[in-house]
Amino acid sequence: MSVPELAWYSHELCFWHDPGPGAGYLPVGPGIEPLRQFAVDPDLRRAEGLVRAAGVLERFTAVTPTPATDEDLLLVHTPEHLERVEAASAAGAGDAGVYAPVNYHSARAARLAAGACAQAVTAVLDGRFRRAYCLVRPPGHHAEPDRAMALCLYNNLAVAARTARRHGARRVLVLDWDVHHGNGLQRVFYEDPDVLYVSVHQDGLFPAASGLVLETGAGAGAGTTLNVPLPAGSGHEAYLAVVEQLVAPAARSFRPDLILVAAGVDAGGHDPMGRMLCTSRTFHAMTAALCELADELADGRIVLAHEGGYSAWYQPTLVLATACAVAGLPAPDDPFLHSLEHLPGQRLQPHQRRVVDHLRAHHPLFAGRSGPAGPRAQGAGDG
């Protein structure tokens, strides 16, 4: 693969977004001592630094995005929502929605994050690049049309998908493997027959009562939402089973013109915001599989955007693994792999298999399909 086929979108100001001191996504308050939050973005700068140090960033064309315009953001969000984010950021601190703290730089960082994803989609559809990766913050998949939520200010991939539709893409697949359910993405596209939204997330995690298997779309979009709520403790083989037995056949049935991936890495085994066991090998294998699907179905057109990831020490390795797969490179060395790869949860368990089997048997996307669910014959340590 030649270098111009790959694009890397990032911006220094995305690293300046800081939700402030607190604990997790909660600000300082009663019972909460000032503490470095999980979502502080120097960790993202470290991730990009590791990709550069490993020589992988040289495989990409670096693109500096411009901020999303009001016109871009209004494809998804209400004017009142834009005003709320801008006002909270201009004040230098505050909550722009529900658990969505900001600082002075946050509004511009959020516009750059959404702009990067929209511009990457446009470049890919125009044929300037085949694949693109957007290392941006703040994340987006929780943001709803009328409110920011859970660290997400604007819904980056929703803006990108709407931009793609406006730019001529007939059908768009959005795969979200962040450990949390993307309630915002689901809400935006729940009645849209031209966007297939697939979310693979930890069952029962934030947001509560969201991402159930029975939520399959409505109206004209009935059947174009696929939720895969995996039990806590799911690891490498469970995630590969989902990709191979659910995502791939759904994509082949839907036949998208473009694939978007909400590529959060908080399903990693060291992440404090989830209880999953994914490793760098898992994210490399999933990314490689989606790139292959894009080659098969969408002339190679795929854009991945960073979402969650809160392990200061493991996030960089997981981002590197994702970048290596986008670039067609083998999985990188992972000094943390030994602590995760031999855990029993890395194997597909019967209670995890039941989720896959249930969806294959009952979801409208798989009507008429049959066959056992299971991963390829490889272990958690295989690439």
Side-chain angles (χ1 to χ4, degrees):
M1 178 175 293
S2 60
V3 172
E5 292 190 336
L6 307 176
W8 182 276
Y9 287 76
S10 64
H11 196 288
E12 174 66 22
L13 276 178
C14 285
F15 306 145
W16 292 23
H17 162 67
D18 187 339
Y25 49 79
L26 292 177
V28 174
I32 300 179
E33 178 184 359
L35 177 72
R36 180 185 184 278
Q37 291 213 53
F38 295 136
V40 171
D41 294 290
D43 295 341
L44 207 63
R45 183 184 280 115
R46 292 178 63 248
E48 186 169 76
L50 181 60
V51 176
R52 180 179 290 107
V56 176
L57 203 57
E58 298 171 2
R59 303 289 184 122
F60 293 80
T61 297
V63 181
T64 301
T66 58
T69 65
D70 283 0
E71 181 183 3
D72 296 327
L73 297 175
L74 291 172
L75 291 172
V76 172
H77 297 289
T78 65
E80 294 78 15
H81 174 63
L82 272 60
E83 293 169 5
R84 193 176 303 115
V85 171
E86 296 287 346
S89 185
D95 195 324
V98 181
Y99 304 137
V102 299
N103 72 351
Y104 177 81
H105 301 288
S106 297
R108 185 166 178 83
R111 284 181 179 265
L112 285 164
C117 295
Q119 290 150 36
V121 160
T122 301
V124 166
L125 289 174
D126 284 346
R128 283 177 280 159
F129 301 108
R130 193 177 190 192
R131 303 173 183 170
Y133 182 84
C134 302
L135 188 70
V136 293
R137 294 294 274 176
H141 74 149
H142 292 307
E144 298 186 341
D146 55 353
R147 64 175 179 172
M149 186 174 180
L151 307 175
C152 300
L153 301 184
Y154 299 129
N155 200 311
N156 304 327
L157 283 187
V159 172
R162 287 274 170 85
T163 299
R165 296 279 295 122
R166 187 174 60 174
H167 207 71
R170 295 170 300 164
R171 290 181 298 277
V172 179
L173 164 62
V174 181
L175 172 60
D176 183 351
W177 61 52
D178 189 281
V179 78
H180 305 94
H181 178 246
N183 57 289
L185 281 168
Q186 177 169 296
R187 180 176 169 188
V188 171
F189 299 116
Y190 204 61
E191 299 185 22
D192 189 337
D194 299 316
V195 176
L196 172 60
Y197 175 60
V198 182
S199 178
V200 188
H201 52 273
Q202 182 181 318
D203 187 23
L205 199 58
F206 181 93
S210 180
L212 306 178
V213 294
L214 296 177
E215 297 169 1
T216 60
T224 58
T225 294
L226 171 60
N227 282 307
V228 188
L230 288 173
S234 297
H236 186 82
E237 289 190 357
Y239 272 80
L240 292 193
V242 170
V243 170
E244 294 165 6
Q245 301 297 324
L246 296 176
V247 176
R252 292 186 177 108
S253 176
F254 188 70
R255 303 203 64 81
D257 302 303
L258 171 71
I259 295 176
L260 303 180
V261 181
V265 295
D266 43 5
H270 291 295
D271 201 284
M273 298 285 265
R275 294 294 180 269
M276 295 309 210
L277 293 174
C278 293
T279 72
S280 60
R281 299 297 186 265
T282 314
F283 289 104
H284 185 275
M286 291 195 298
T287 303
L290 266 294
C291 288
E292 290 175 6
L293 269 176
D295 290 343
E296 174 188 341
L297 302 173
D299 291 329
R301 294 185 290 261
I302 184 170
V303 175
L304 300 92
H306 186 74
E307 285 280 348
Y310 308 101
S311 172
W313 64 90
Y314 203 34
Q315 176 178 250
T317 303
L318 301 181
V319 170
L320 174 60
T322 304
C324 284
V326 174
L329 299 173
D333 291 337
D334 180 350
F336 306 101
L337 189 62
H338 73 280
S339 64
L340 295 171
E341 65 177 336
H342 298 302
L343 295 176
Q346 299 295 1
R347 309 293 177 248
L348 183 64
Q349 307 294 318
H351 67 295
Q352 300 162 356
R353 179 186 292 273
R354 281 195 290 271
V355 177
V356 179
D357 288 345
H358 173 85
L359 286 165
R360 283 174 59 83
H362 298 290
H363 194 281
L365 282 167
F366 308 107
R369 292 182 177 270
S370 61
R376 291 177 183 169
Q378 62 180 23
D382 297 332

